[in-house]
Structure formats: C-alpha cells, structure tokens
C-alpha cells in the first residue's frame, strides 16, 4: 500500500493533476497525515517543478479539445484545416493559407446572381415580341383602334439591353409598368363612366360650399408664411403642387404608373380621383407655364374682377407711370378682349389649348360677380338712413 500511495502521488505530480481525488482503496486505508508525509518524502527525494507540470497539463488539455472539435467538424463536412501544413488542402494557385470555404460560397452566390440577372435580361428582351403580339390582339378587338391614323403609337418599341444601356432599359421598364395594355373596357357603360364622376362633383361642390360658409382665416401668427399675403401664399402653394407633379412626370419613372392612374382622365376608363389629379398634371414645360398664366381658374378670377369693376381702368403695374395711362382699358373692354381671344383661338385646331375651360371660367366668374353685386345692392337698400350716414354713403 505504501508503494501504491507513492506511485499515485508521484504520477499526479508528473501529470500536473495534484487536485484530483485519490482512489478509494487508498483513502479508505491510509490516513490524510500519512498521505501528506508521503508527498513530502517524494518532494525531498524526487524534486520537480510541479507548477510547470500543471501549466503543461492545461496546454495539453486545450490542444486535445481543439483536435476533438476539428475531428467532429470534419466528420460533419464543415471544416478542414486552413493552413498549408499538416496535410491540409492548398488553395487556388497553391495558396499556403489553404482552401477557403467562404470564398467558394461567395463564388457560387455570385454565379447564381449573374445567372438570374441574365435570365431576367433574356425575358426582358423577349418581352418585346410578346408586347407586339398583345398590341395586335388589342387592335383586332377594338375597331376604333383599327381606324387610328397614327400607327406608330400602336407599335412595340425596341427594348434596350440592360447590360449596354441600363438607364434606357430602366425607363422603358417603368413605362411598360405604367401602361394598362390589358384594360378591358367592354363592360364599361356610359352610366358607369358618368355617374361616379357626377356624384363626386356634386359632393366636392357641396363640401366647398360648407367650407366657404364656415372658414375663418387664421391669425397672422398661426400662418406658415405670415409675411406673405394669403392670396399670394395660396397661389404659390398651387404653383408648387403643379411644379411637383411636373417633376414626377419628368424625373421619376417609378411614379408614372400612379400618375397614369390618378392624374390623367381617360374617357374610355375614367377614374373618379383623376378629376382632381388631372388639374395638377402637366407633362411639358410649355403646358405648365401656360396654365400658370392662363388656366380656367384664373379665367374665373379675371371674369369676376372685371365684372365687379366694369368701368375701372386696368393696366400693367410694372410699366413706367407715363405708360400706365396709355396702356390701360376699362374692365368691360378687358373682359371682352379676353373672351374674344379664346373664341378666335378655338378656330385654330392645331393649338391644343382647352379654350372651353377658359370660357367656362369666364362664365362662372361673371355669374358670381353679378350675384355678388345684386346681393350688395339689396344689402345697401335694406340699410337704415342712420347706418348710411355712419358709413358716409
């Protein structure tokens, strides 16, 4: 038993495992004081660096654990040695850093992405022929299109190759998305075209009337632009909205689908919301500039202004004073000239201007001003002599 105790204790010293428990056959027979004396005897007659043995044991256990994890990963096919030593696979061009699983995965993903892009490119280029067939079928179904003179509008456009002209292909893609070639208008009746628009118009006019009766101008401090007159601020906001929609038409192809649906009125397939949207929609700078200076709404304002001031002189305010008296005209002359200009313009069919909208604006403005003047006369007639005296009338 004494030799066994010495052998076990000395083995623990060599292996760096002095903290392990002794076997039960030793602990049950040999007292702790005798085991301590045996360890002292070994240290005296067989000295060694027990701390170094413990450190060596830690390194050995760490190395064994690492090798165990590597073997487990290799069995699962997830890992192989990454250096050019110890029998590992070399990388591309005998790279000593070894074979890279990450690089191989990346190459596979890149190849897959390129294949998908090439597939989409081929479908895009082949879609030109499908588009041509679809347009031919549409023309066969619609007799009105068969009589359409501009045949170029019914031809499929050549599609740009995304790899060679990516910007043009991107624009063409959004142009096609914005076009409802599959729109079926065979079930659309006259009543379904007109009644929703009529109901929307009546509701909108009613809401405008209620708003006009209950509107109270905000205090100057509560306005967004307190230093700008309310009328000028309103005009600036309206012009800003028109310019914003024009910018979408010009610079934002992804918005074309939404603009075609809700900012253009198509008589064959009208959408009610477009009755408001098309008011702000301009696709050319000339159209935008003209409507900012000569729209139906402005005609209504001019018609009412001239009617309220039939005998007052109108002039151009930015002319020199000596010219303002020369270049001036009474309200009725200015109104007659504006109406005559639109009537003459209606005969010029080449000019695409909505003169009917201008004339309608003048008519509404004149009717409103006439009703307002009559209302003011009634109000003046119903005043007492004392109220007239106070107001100096």
């Amino acid at each position: 038993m004494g030799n066994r105790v010495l052998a076990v204790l000395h083995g623990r010293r060599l292996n760096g495992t002095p903290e392990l428990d002794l076997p039960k056959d030793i602990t049950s027979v040999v007292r702790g004081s005798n085991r301590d004396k045996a360890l002292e005897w070994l240290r005296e007659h067989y000295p060694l660096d027990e701390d170094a043995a413990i450190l060596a044991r830690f390194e050995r256990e760490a190395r064994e654990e690492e090798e165990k994890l590597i073997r487990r990963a290799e069995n699962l096919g997830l890992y192989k040695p990454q250096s050019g030593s110890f029998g590992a696979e070399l990388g591309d061009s005998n790279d000593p850093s070894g074979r890279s699983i990450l690089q191989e995965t990346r190459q596979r993903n890149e190849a897959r992405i390129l294949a998908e892009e090439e597939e989409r490119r081929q479908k895009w280029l082949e879609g030109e022929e499908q588009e041509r067939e679809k347009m031919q079928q549409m023309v066969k179904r619609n007799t009105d299109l068969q009589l359409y003179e501009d045949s170029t509008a019914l031809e499929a456009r050549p599609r740009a190759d995304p790899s060679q002209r990516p910007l043009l292909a991107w624009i063409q893609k959004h142009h096609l998305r914005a076009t409802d070639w599959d729109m079926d208008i065979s079930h659309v009746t006259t009543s379904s075209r007109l009644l929703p628009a009529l109901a929307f118009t009546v509701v909108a006019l009613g809401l405008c009337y209620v708003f006009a009766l209950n509107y109270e101008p905000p205090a100057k401090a509560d306005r967004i632009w307190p230093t700008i007159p309310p009328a000028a601020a309103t005009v600036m906001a309206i012009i800003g909205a028109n310019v914003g929609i024009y910018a979408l038409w010009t610079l934002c192809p992804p918005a074309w689908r939404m603009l075609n649906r809700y900012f253009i009125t198509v008589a064959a397939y009208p959408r009610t919301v477009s009755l408001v949207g098309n008011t702000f929609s301009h696709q050319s700078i000339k159209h935008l500039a003209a409507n900012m200076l000569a729209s139906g709404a402005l005609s209504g304002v001019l018609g009412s202004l001239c009617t309220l001031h039939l005998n007052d002189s109108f002039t151009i305010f930015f002319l020199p004073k000596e010219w303002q008296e020369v270049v001036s005209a009474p309200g009725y002359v200015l109104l007659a000239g504006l109406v005559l200009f639109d009537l003459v313009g209606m005969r010029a069919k080449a000019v695409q201007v909505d003169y009917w909208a201008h004339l309608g604006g003048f008519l509404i403005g004149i009717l409103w001003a006439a009703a307002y003047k009559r209302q003011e006369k009634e109000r003046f007639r119903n005043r007492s002599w004392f109220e007239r005296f106070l107001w100096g009338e």
Side-chain angles (χ1 to χ4, degrees), residues 59-195:
E59 293 178 358
R60 183 174 63 254
E61 290 179 350
R63 186 166 55 252
E64 290 175 354
E65 185 67 24
E66 181 180 0
E67 292 175 355
K68 187 185 297 182
L69 293 175
I70 292 176
R71 286 195 298 271
R72 184 181 302 172
E74 289 177 347
N75 292 334
L76 295 175
L78 301 176
Y79 173 82
K80 289 187 178 180
Q82 295 294 298
S83 68
S85 307
F86 305 104
E89 297 182 27
L90 296 177
D92 295 339
S93 303
N94 293 327
D95 186 357
S97 61
R99 176 187 173 192
S100 174
I101 302 299
L102 178 62
Q103 185 176 1
E104 293 179 356
T105 304
R106 177 181 178 181
Q107 292 175 351
R108 286 197 301 270
N109 290 336
E110 289 178 347
R112 175 178 56 80
I113 293 174
L114 290 175
E116 293 176 353
E117 291 180 352
E118 179 62 22
E119 183 180 359
R120 286 195 296 267
R121 172 178 168 273
Q122 291 297 333
K123 287 183 178 179
W124 164 256
L125 295 176
E126 294 171 358
E128 180 182 338
E129 184 63 27
Q130 299 175 359
E131 179 186 357
R132 183 177 291 104
E133 295 177 358
K134 188 180 298 184
M135 294 181 70
Q136 291 175 354
Q137 294 175 0
M138 183 177 62
V139 172
K140 290 180 180 179
R141 293 196 306 265
N142 195 328
T143 56
D144 291 336
L145 291 178
Q146 297 174 8
L147 303 177
Y148 193 64
E149 297 179 356
D150 188 5
S151 60
T152 58
L154 301 177
E155 296 177 357
R157 303 295 190 272
R159 296 192 176 185
D161 193 333
S163 61
Q164 299 177 1
R165 307 182 69 181
L167 179 60
L168 181 57
W170 178 71
I171 294 175
Q172 289 179 336
K173 180 186 72 173
H174 288 290
H175 178 270
L176 292 175
R177 287 184 67 249
T179 308
D180 292 330
W181 294 117
D182 296 330
M183 191 180 345
D184 184 13
I185 62 174
S186 59
H187 65 283
V188 182
T189 61
T190 302
S191 59
S192 63
R193 288 189 179 100
L194 297 181
L195 291 181

Side-chain angles (χ1 to χ4, degrees), residues 195-316:
L195 291 181
L198 177 61
F200 180 83
T201 303
V202 172
V203 171
L205 291 176
L207 292 176
C208 290
Y209 180 74
V210 173
F211 175 79
L213 290 180
N214 297 278
Y215 174 74
E216 294 183 3
K220 186 176 181 180
D222 297 334
R223 294 178 54 234
I224 300 177
W225 302 312
T227 59
I228 301 177
T234 302
V235 171
M236 291 171 58
I238 294 174
I239 293 178
N242 283 273
V243 172
I245 299 300
Y246 170 74
L248 290 178
W249 278 115
T250 308
L251 304 174
C252 189
W256 290 349
R257 185 179 181 87
M258 179 267 297
L259 294 172
N260 273 348
R261 286 175 178 265
Y262 305 115
F263 287 83
I264 289 180
T265 297
V266 181
Y269 198 86
R271 292 183 171 91
T272 306
V273 181
S274 65
L275 292 176
V276 175
N278 68 2
T279 309
F280 299 90
S281 182
H282 306 86
Q283 298 185 27
S284 67
I285 192 63
K286 292 182 179 179
H287 188 200
L288 175 66
N291 266 17
M292 296 304 98
L293 300 173
S295 66
L298 183 59
S299 299
V301 175
L302 291 175
S304 60
L305 184 64
C306 292
T307 304
L308 292 175
H309 303 274
L310 286 175
N311 298 316
D312 296 335
S313 294
F314 288 83
T315 186
I316 302 176

Side-chain angles (χ1 to χ4, degrees), residues 26 92 140 334 363:
I26 295 178
D92 295 339
K140 290 180 180 179
L334 177 60
L363 177 61

